[in-house]
Amino acid sequence: MNFAMLDFSKNYFELFELPLGFTVDAKRLAERYRTLQAVTHPDRYVVAADHEKRVSLQASTQVNEAYRTLKDPLARARYLLSLHTGDPGTDSETSKDGAFLMEQMELRETLAEAQSSPNPHAAVARVLTHLAEQSAALDKELAGLFADPTPANLTSAREIVRKLQFLDKCRRDAEDLEGLIDGRY
Amino acid sequence: MPLLQIAEPGQSAAPHQHRLAAGIDLGTTNSLVATVRSGVAETLPDAQGRHLLPSVVRFSAAAAPVVGYPAQAAALDDPLNTIASAKRLIGRGLAEVKQLGGRLPYVFVNPDAAVPRIRTAGGDLTPVEVSAEILKTLAQRAQDTLGGPLAGVVITVPAYFDDAQRQATKDAATLAGLNVFRLLSEPTAAAVAYSLDHADAGTAEGIHAIYDLGGGTFDISILRLTRGVYEVLAAGGDSALGGDDFDRILAQWALEQAGVSDGADHRTLRQAMQAACTAKEQLSSAPTADLMLTLPDGRQWSATLDRAAFEGLIDPLIDRSLAACRRALRDARVSVPEVDAVVLVGGSTRVPRVRERVAALFGRPPLANIDPDRVVAIGAAIQADLLAGNRPGDDLLLLDVIPLSLGIETMGGLVERLIPRNSTIPVARAQTFTTFKDGQTAMAIHVLQGERDLVDDCRSLARFELRGIPPLVAGAARIQVSFEIDADGLLRVAASELTSGVTARVEVKPSYGLTDGEIAAMLSDSRQHAGEDQLARRVREERVEAQRVLESLRAALTRDGDALLDTAERTRIEDAMTALAATLNSIDAKRIGDARRALEQACGRYVERRMNQSIQSAMAGQRVDAFE
Amino acid sequence: MAYSDKVLDHYENPRNVGTFDKDDPNVGTGMVGAPACGDVMRLQIKVNDQGVIEDARFKTYGCGSAIASSSLLTEWVKGKTLDEARQIKNQEIADELALPPVKVHCSVLAEDAIKAAIHDYAAKRKPE
């Protein structure tokens, strides 16, 4: 997005005055988010001139985007990859890691079957727990790799992020399914 | 120009100017207006001391429209000219309204149009125009009480209102001649009222669930309050579920029992709805209620309904609201025990069964100590006062979300999501498109809102035609389309061709809205009726605005012009100021406006630097806090 | 925006959904995934002794375009020799289904899936 008008050449970590890395102090991040919105939010410029409203809208949008990115581990990891290498590089090419994909396929099949199981909520919850554990383990690996961002480590990090993207999609599907099951009763 | 007025901590900005502001709760069944006077937010009564204004407008050929109680009283005798619940129709197509709300006792003209028009003795009217009449009445009440014109208003909308419904509400305000400071979600407004109410007790911080069941809409919002900042974590609901549905299901039951469910005419329908509403209210305190109807053939019918039977009828409707609550909790990633308070909003939460089941879901008794009919208007008034700049030192800030995902149609009738639901606003996303054919110079984009994968299951918001794409071979053009949702939750689209830098023209065809041209035409109609001299009014407004800009800029330049501007920049700004000052006696509104815009343009970099400086100093404060 | 009825048809009535025994020596299995959107696709072919694809099955968890791409592909490969099947290009799938640029990667996924399935089959048949 083009916010070149503002001095937002700073990256998101600089904007929030947080150290560049995968590990982020969640409490500090949330506090600084509120501070930045208190200054930039359009509600502060309701009686301003049009041009000022525009600057506020852009700045506030940018702060929201930065916060969203830094808050979510997957988005944060993708952002770090693009800062280090100019491109997250996790979207191109097809994944062919057979064993991992097989497991993903099985997870999705379990989800599909959960709908007709006697206790669908519990079945979906089991999948969600499994996904959360897997993601947490991968996050831990990422923290180590980004702490020492050598080209080799970044290549490994990229592979992990690709895996996390599959897990994330499965999680969203599971949550949608929860809603669907819920709506039936 | 508040950006230029930002003062160092402890220093006050330019001399404070009090602006009159009001909060308006534009409801399906009833509407209210509230203002802050001497620091207290209160809803305003009419001359008879009544705070609620029934959202009913009666139109006639000769006289001006009648709004509120007298219109409501005439509903039975003049059903076709008396429009109630316009909020259910606003921003919707007719097919959709029928599908959602069952039978409507009005005559529609051109039912396939994007905006349905209701045929009345006062003309063929859109729901936007009907709502504008209600807004005018409320604004007049506020101006009479405050003794002057309103600088602006905050109008509340259901959190679950989509873009078309929000835009239509804003259009209604424009038609009513009101300056909208902000469209505010109803549950968020209620949360504001509660946080101030509980601030002394120190119980306001934490996670709040706001259960808002109005006449025609249901909202659930999960919010977190931390040191004056309200973050909406998730919003959900059903923009076609409310207390009216309790009435409708009860009326349907009565008509079935009376054996006239198929052959009921408009009059019988209205009568059944009123009988149902009365019975519902009785059942809130009494174990049984009697219903009576005069049938089309003149027969009298009556029956007694007990509370258990009533609850059996409405339970499926309450179920729908509770499913939405569970989804909102999931979206917010909040578990039931983490919720610190549950607040009831909306007249329909008076139904004991609703309270009972909300308490059961959240495992705690809900709060209802502020009148659930008034709490939204009170919150809106506080926010309006704040936005007007009348509460210096108050650090209350509301961070709201969009309730529905925004996507575009990809070929094949499928939807590609661009901005997920519950994204904090303002938010923007860009997407790059390319051309399919050699020399293609135009492209159509269909924007939708909703959570489903198929276009047919989502709400169509608008179709955009991109024109003026430079003719290139297929696939060579790179058209970046950016979607921006502002703090009102309203969408704006911009597009440019990246390889050539050509800005493509965007033509908006709202699927369920009025075009800018239609609004302008309605506005000029209404001003002619008001007999106001439009030109004189515009000149006056432009002069005031120009003086305001000049004053605050002078103050800002004295403070930090030297530090933030080089000589050339400063000269350019001062030249533009001189030029604007020279137009102040002009009677040409456009000339004054052009000069003001030129000055604002000249101040561009200055404004941005001041924004960056504000960020710097706020973050410096943060660093100090971090060491404490 | 023009509708592509074919995508909808393949999305709503996918052809050849299912599985073959992956240990059957006549079966080749291709497992692929698109990390960008998290779609997972399994495409299987059953090949006769003449090297002709007799039958095909798929299972795709993903968006409509990915389902439609794999469904279409299973129809196309039936009766083709392995060499012919290997020649299928993603662009042909994208054109047939009129996929928009944002969805072209779904057709790439399908092309990669058939290649992976042929590769798996070939690896099985390779003399020890």
Side-chain angles (χ1 to χ4, degrees), chain A residues 7 34 71 78 84 90-91 98 103 116 153-154 161 172 182 185:
Chain A
D7 175 28
R34 290 191 291 268
K71 201 170 51 168
R78 285 172 54 90
H84 283 300
T90 52
D91 292 348
E103 201 189 328
S116 50
N153 279 354
L154 290 175
V161 170
R172 277 180 283 140
D182 206 30
Y185 301 116

Side-chain angles (χ1 to χ4, degrees), chain A residues 21-22 31 56 58 66 71 83 99 104-105 112 118 123 126 131 159 163-164 167 176-177 182:
Chain A
F22 184 72
E31 274 169 13
S56 148
Q58 287 178 332
K71 201 170 51 168
L83 282 183
Q104 287 302 303
M105 190 63 108
R126 272 196 301 278
L131 289 168
E159 281 315 303
K163 283 184 180 173
L164 278 172
L167 297 178
D176 285 350
L177 186 60
D182 206 30

Side-chain angles (χ1 to χ4, degrees), chain B residues 250-261 295 299 301-303 305:
Chain B
L250 193 48
Q252 216 173 335
W253 173 86
L255 292 171
E256 271 165 29
Q257 296 293 309
V260 291
S261 52
L295 303 179
R299 277 186 299 134
W301 173 87
S302 72
L305 183 70

Side-chain angles (χ1 to χ4, degrees), chain B residues 296-506:
Chain B
D297 59 12
R299 277 186 299 134
Q300 293 289 321
W301 173 87
S302 72
T304 302
L305 183 70
D306 67 17
R307 197 184 265 183
F310 172 63
E311 290 176 350
L313 286 171
I314 63 169
D315 259 351
L317 295 171
I318 303 177
D319 284 342
R320 266 165 67 190
S321 78
L322 298 183
C325 291
R326 285 190 289 267
R327 189 176 88 162
L329 285 168
R330 256 198 310 278
D331 283 355
R333 307 202 170 280
V334 164
S335 65
V336 165
E338 288 175 284
V339 176
D340 297 298
V342 182
V343 172
L344 294 180
V345 181
S348 305
T349 59
R350 290 213 174 79
V351 174
R353 182 65 172 169
V354 171
R355 296 189 174 203
E356 199 179 299
R357 299 205 52 204
V358 171
L361 173 68
F362 288 97
R364 61 167 66 241
L367 301 173
N369 42 330
I370 304 185
D371 182 344
D373 280 326
R374 296 191 199 178
V375 62
V376 167
I378 288 172
I382 295 166
Q383 179 70 355
D385 198 40
L386 184 85
L387 297 185
N390 296 340
R391 299 169 86 89
D394 191 335
D395 52 5
L396 182 75
L397 182 67
L398 309 180
L399 301 171
D400 219 325
V401 300
I402 49 158
L404 294 156
S405 302
L406 187 88
I408 47 165
E409 175 174 349
T410 60
M411 276 199 211
L414 298 167
V415 181
E416 168 93 353
R417 263 172 238 174
L418 279 182
I419 303 181
R421 68 169 187 259
N422 294 317
S423 295
T424 307
I425 52 176
V427 61
R429 279 306 128 77
Q431 178 95 25
T432 308
F433 296 86
T434 189
T435 45
F436 294 103
K437 291 188 204 138
D438 291 348
Q440 185 180 341
T441 56
M443 173 180 280
I445 292 173
H446 186 192
V447 185
L448 300 113
Q449 209 164 13
E451 310 309 318
R452 306 281 295 277
D453 291 333
L454 293 180
V455 165
D456 292 347
D457 297 330
C458 289
R459 282 215 81 206
S460 171
L461 285 187
R463 289 171 192 275
F464 298 99
E465 278 275 304
L466 302 184
R467 297 184 175 279
I469 300 167
L472 298 167
V473 292
R478 285 267 168 276
I479 301 120
Q480 177 164 290
V481 182
S482 71
F483 300 83
E484 278 181 15
I485 299 177
D486 66 16
D488 288 321
L490 295 174
L491 172 71
R492 227 169 305 175
V493 178
S496 60
E497 206 286 306
L498 295 177
T499 51
S500 65
V502 171
T503 303
R505 235 180 19 255
V506 180

Side-chain angles (χ1 to χ4, degrees), chain C:
Chain C
M1 188 172 280
Y3 248 62
S4 164
D5 293 337
K6 279 181 190 156
V7 176
L8 263 194
D9 186 34
H10 277 278
Y11 174 71
E12 287 179 339
N13 314 296
R15 330 293 200 261
N16 310 313
V17 175
T19 42
F20 295 134
D21 175 8
K22 67 174 167 38
D23 297 323
D24 181 336
N26 290 325
V27 167
T29 301
M31 255 330 261
V32 290
C37 47
D39 291 358
V40 208
M41 186 181 287
R42 181 182 56 214
L43 199 138
Q44 293 182 301
I45 47 172
K46 189 175 263 180
V47 186
N48 69 15
D49 295 340
Q50 285 73 49
V52 174
I53 299 173
E54 279 187 329
D55 206 352
R57 290 277 185 277
F58 84 96
K59 185 80 205 175
T60 296
Y61 289 100
C63 67
S65 302
I67 293 171
S69 294
S70 38
S71 171
L72 177 72
L73 191 66
T74 53
E75 288 215 307
W76 276 3
V77 297
K78 273 195 246 179
K80 282 198 162 65
T81 65
L82 292 176
D83 271 343
E84 285 165 347
R86 208 177 278 129
Q87 301 306 315
I88 296 174
K89 290 279 167 290
N90 82 284
Q91 196 56 47
E92 298 167 52
I93 302 169
D95 288 349
E96 178 74 10
L97 296 172
L99 294 182
V102 283
K103 286 292 170 189
V104 165
H105 69 267
C106 296
S107 62
V108 174
L109 196 61
E111 182 192 319
D112 288 341
I114 183 69
K115 293 220 165 90
I118 294 170
H119 182 82
D120 180 59
Y121 173 78
K124 273 186 189 169
R125 305 292 280 198
K126 203 177 279 171
E128 296 296 314

